[in-house]
Amino acid sequence: MKKRILIVEDEKNIARFMELELEHEYFDVTVTHDGRDGLNKALEQQFDCLLLDVMLPGLNGIEICRRVRAKSDVPIILITARDAVMDRVAGLDSGADDYIVKPFAIEELLARIRSVLRRTQSIGEKELEKDEEICVRELVIKPQSYEVFFENKKLELTKTEYDLLKLLCENKNRVCEREMILQSIWGYNTEVETNVVDVYIRHLRSKLKTDSNPYIETVRGVGYVVRE
């Protein structure tokens, strides 16, 4: 079955170029040039990946990303002409799985799409193989239902936050190096910088606040560890 891709891009020449190239690679492609229409399509229809331009009429790509992520774990790649670190961090903070900067080669875009789709498929396969709960103190991860409970309350996590927390808990008491985390969560072909790991660790810590020992410890110069 063809994977469904939604492109939300107001530059029609770029949108058409991506549409043709993705269709050539056997994707089922839907295109819109307006932010609000893109949000409606993303929420009302089933897609395997969203490609969101940041600067859009009606509603910008980062806001679309935030609203979609509140209701869906669909992989999201932001397309932006901005290459500043803060712009990239803002996109990832909004829940995006990856980003690509204009101008880009179509081969790079295809590689990033394949990477996020591979991660989704891989995670799904792993959860079918292993449905046992993962417990660390007052933290419980339920892979079968894709849920996380902390102090008996359900945590609302993005897909990337969930994947990262699960990776750390599966390797509890073992230090996970930043490079290992990048490869496991973002894929071998990604060009995401290592400080992105720090951003997501900060997100998780804010949701795992405790008066006792913190759940995620920093091992300076190496990475992070979850300890019993």
Side-chain angles (χ1 to χ4, degrees), residues 7 16 19 23 28 55 68-69 84 88 96 114 117 128-130 137 152 160 165 167 182 196 216 221:
I7 298 173
R16 181 57 175 162
E19 180 183 18
E23 286 180 343
D28 182 356
M55 302 300 291
V68 170
R69 187 56 75 229
R88 299 200 300 266
R114 287 194 295 268
L117 291 178
L128 285 174
E129 294 171 1
K130 184 179 179 181
R137 289 185 270 166
N152 296 318
T160 302
L165 182 61
L167 174 69
L182 275 175
V196 169
I216 303 174

Side-chain angles (χ1 to χ4, degrees), residues 193-212:
E193 299 173 4
T194 54
N195 65 350
V196 169
V197 176
D198 304 329
V199 171
Y200 276 92
I201 291 292
R202 189 169 69 246
H203 290 176
L204 289 174
R205 282 175 170 161
S206 70
K207 297 179 180 182
L208 295 171
K209 291 180 179 178
T210 177
D211 294 330
S212 58

Side-chain angles (χ1 to χ4, degrees), residues 89-108:
V89 170
L92 294 169
D93 277 349
S94 70
D97 295 275
D98 203 350
Y99 64 88
I100 188 168
V101 178
K102 298 177 184 176
F104 54 83
I106 192 64
E107 291 81 7
E108 180 184 5

